[in-house]
């Protein structure tokens, strides 16, 4: 019994000492939480000043803590996009500074890293049409042309955006080839709309050894709506501006002799020219039907040579029958009026002939003849 009492007294004494002040100088104290909890440490997936392959991604992680944020700048000081705690794909031939911070129970730390990327084997640049700062008709599609074939169309399409100041309804991209993609709404653009196109290709991997190196953009305006409705049945053109018929123009179209027949379907005005030299030899017409004329007030509709233009020599036939080699002939007065009141991208909707406008390869307006389901089948999943 005595031993039990002594033992109990020792334990009690030990607890009292442990909870109170040291009994003499130099006695040990219990370690604090701060002294036993390590500070967080940031870990990069690449070494400082490493030379990386173009398109590389650098990640940040932390021990004893959580990474709060990650910033990436290029050599010009431009901030680059990040994905969570990783950089985006880094463009070729550049120097990049990464900064991150982490916090944990043991405190907060910050860390920076510099890396370099090697040049790419192939680079990708985009050209956007329409031209920035210009005004176009409601039928003008967006065309993006690449100087190098694109293998990863989905990656490139994800990097391209189109915004409009008015609702445009369903719209989408259609890839015609590995170097050309076009964008249009299901219907024509709304009148008086500002459209902005971005092709943010810097750092985008477009193929196994192909990387975008620059961002490209274009902001343009869609003007008033103007649609020219041309009928071969009546030999008349109706000019509708913002939905209102403002002018009726007698026309003479292509004679119905094979390749001279004017195409039916939707076209758009591709260029507006004060004069154009039309040499039939360039389209294979020689002999008795040959011509070589300077034509006034010409609005190009196809690459193959269809125009609306002034033709004082065929006024006798305009409004009655067809005598041209495929162009839409109008009087000099009407041609001058159209020349002064038209925009590139204005729609020309032609009916009544047995020859159809091509979907691709013969003018910007051909895209409007493609059924919408077919158009959207040429996009890629993003």
């Amino acid at each position: 019994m005595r031993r039990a009492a002594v033992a109990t007294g020792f334990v009690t004494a030990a607890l009292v000492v442990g909870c109170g002040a040291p009994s003499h100088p130099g006695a040990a104290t219990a370690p604090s939480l701060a002294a036993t909890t390590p500070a967080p440490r940031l870990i990069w997936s690449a070494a400082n000043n490493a030379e990386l392959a173009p398109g590389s991604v650098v990640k940040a992680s932390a021990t004893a803590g959580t990474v709060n944020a990650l910033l990436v700048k290029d050599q010009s000081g431009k901030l680059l996009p990040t994905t969570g705690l990783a950089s985006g794909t880094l463009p070729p031939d550049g120097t990049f500074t990464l900064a991150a911070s982490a916090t944990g129970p043991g405190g907060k730390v910050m860390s920076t890293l510099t890396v370099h990327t090697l040049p790419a084997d192939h680079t990708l640049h985009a050209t956007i049409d329409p031209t920035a700062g210009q005004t176009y008709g409601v039928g003008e599609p967006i065309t993006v042309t690449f100087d190098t074939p694109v293998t990863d169309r989905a990656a490139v399409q994800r990097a391209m955006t189109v915004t409009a100041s008015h609702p445009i309804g369903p719209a989408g991209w259609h890839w015609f080839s590995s170097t050309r993609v076009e964008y249009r709404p299901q219907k024509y653009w709304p009148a008086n709309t500002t459209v902005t196109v971005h092709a943010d290709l810097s750092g985008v991997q477009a193929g196994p050894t192909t990387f975008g190196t620059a961002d490209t953009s274009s902001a343009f305006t869609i003007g008033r709506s103007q649609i020219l409705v041309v009928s071969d049945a009546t030999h008349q053109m109706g000019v509708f501006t913002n939905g209102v018929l403002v002018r009726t123009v007698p026309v003479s179209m292509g004679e119905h002799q094979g390749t001279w027949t004017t195409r039916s379907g939707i076209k758009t005005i591709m260029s507006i020219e004060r004069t154009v030299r039309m040499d039939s030899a360039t389209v294979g017409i020689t002999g008795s039907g040959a011509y070589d004329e300077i034509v006034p007030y010409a609005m190009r509709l196809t690459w193959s040579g269809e125009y609306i233009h002034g033709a004082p020599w065929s006024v006798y036939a305009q409004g009655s029958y067809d005598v041209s080699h495929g162009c839409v002939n109008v009087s000099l007065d009407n041609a001058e009026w159209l020349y002064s009141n038209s925009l590139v991208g204005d729609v020309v909707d032609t009916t009544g002939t047995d020859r159809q406008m091509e979907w691709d390869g013969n003018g910007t307006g051909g895209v409007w003849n493609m059924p919408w389901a077919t158009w959207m089948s040429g996009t890629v999943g993003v």
Side-chain angles (χ1 to χ4, degrees):
M1 293 293 297
R2 263 184 208 170
R3 285 187 215 157
V6 170
T8 301
F10 177 79
V11 171
T12 302
L15 288 174
V16 171
V17 171
C19 294
S23 59
H24 57 80
T29 60
S32 68
L33 182 63
T36 59
T37 303
R41 185 168 67 91
L42 272 160
I43 301 172
W44 296 101
S45 62
N48 194 45
N49 284 316
E51 291 192 341
L52 307 176
S56 294
V57 172
V58 178
K59 300 178 180 180
S61 59
T63 61
T66 302
V67 179
N68 301 316
L70 173 68
L71 296 177
V72 183
K73 290 185 178 181
D74 65 14
Q75 56 267 34
S76 69
K78 175 186 174 182
L79 280 172
L80 301 184
T82 59
T83 303
L85 303 180
S87 70
T89 55
L90 297 176
D93 200 20
T95 297
F96 306 93
T97 302
L98 298 88
S101 64
T103 55
K108 179 177 181 179
V109 295
M110 297 185 66
S111 177
T112 60
L113 179 78
T114 298
V115 295
H116 314 276
T117 52
L118 299 170
D121 290 344
H122 303 96
T123 59
L124 182 74
H125 298 86
T127 300
I128 299 175
D129 189 55
T131 304
Q134 303 298 311
T135 300
Y136 297 86
V138 297
E140 185 71 5
I142 295 169
T143 302
V144 181
T145 306
F146 306 101
D147 64 346
T148 302
V150 172
T151 301
D152 192 341
R153 297 184 182 185
V156 170
Q157 188 172 311
R158 282 194 298 270
M160 300 189 299
T161 58
V162 178
T163 57
S165 61
H166 292 102
I168 61 175
W173 297 97
H174 183 95
W175 288 84
F176 285 94
S177 72
S178 62
T179 57
R180 179 169 63 93
V181 63
E182 298 199 23
Y183 183 96
R184 70 168 177 91
Q186 183 175 8
K187 300 180 179 179
Y188 303 133
W189 297 100
N192 307 312
T193 298
T194 299
V195 181
T196 303
V197 189
H198 288 286
D200 295 333
L201 299 177
S202 181
V204 173
Q205 186 167 4
T209 59
T210 301
F211 292 84
T213 57
D215 298 339
T216 308
S217 64
S218 178
F220 60 93
T221 300
I222 300 298
R224 81 290 175 270
S225 169
Q226 185 156 288
I227 298 175
L228 282 54
V229 179
V230 184
S231 170
D232 194 49
T234 64
H235 303 289
Q236 301 290 327
M237 172 196 296
V239 181
F240 293 83
T241 305
N242 295 323
V244 177
L245 178 64
V246 298
R247 196 175 184 95
T248 301
V249 178
V251 302
S252 179
M253 296 161 62
E255 291 184 81
H256 293 210
Q257 297 183 19
T259 58
W260 292 359
T261 301
T262 303
R263 292 165 175 80
S264 284
I266 299 171
K267 308 161 201 171
T268 56
I269 295 175
M270 299 167 61
S271 65
I272 301 172
E273 304 169 54
R274 177 60 183 82
T275 59
V276 172
R277 180 184 176 185
M278 294 190 176
D279 181 357
S280 64
T282 63
V283 291
I285 301 174
T286 59
S288 60
Y291 56 88
D292 189 351
E293 301 281 350
I294 301 298
V295 175
Y297 303 117
M299 284 141 284
R300 187 172 199 134
L301 304 180
T302 71
W303 290 119
S304 61
E306 284 190 24
Y307 286 78
I308 300 170
H309 65 78
W313 55 85
S314 69
V315 169
Y316 70 93
Q318 293 166 21
S320 301
Y321 53 95
D322 297 326
V323 298
S324 86
H325 291 92
C327 291
V328 178
N329 286 183
V330 301
S331 71
L332 203 57
D333 286 346
N334 283 322
E336 185 176 8
W337 185 91
L338 288 166
Y339 174 86
S340 300
N341 290 276
S342 295
L343 293 171
V344 169
D346 281 350
V347 173
V348 180
D349 191 349
T350 304
T351 61
T353 74
D354 60 1
R355 187 182 188 191
Q356 294 300 307
M357 177 64 179
E358 299 88 347
W359 292 355
D360 182 36
N362 199 22
T364 54
V367 299
W368 297 103
N369 298 285
M370 186 182 292
W372 183 245
T374 304
W375 180 268
M376 291 307 296
S377 71
T379 193
V380 291
V382 295

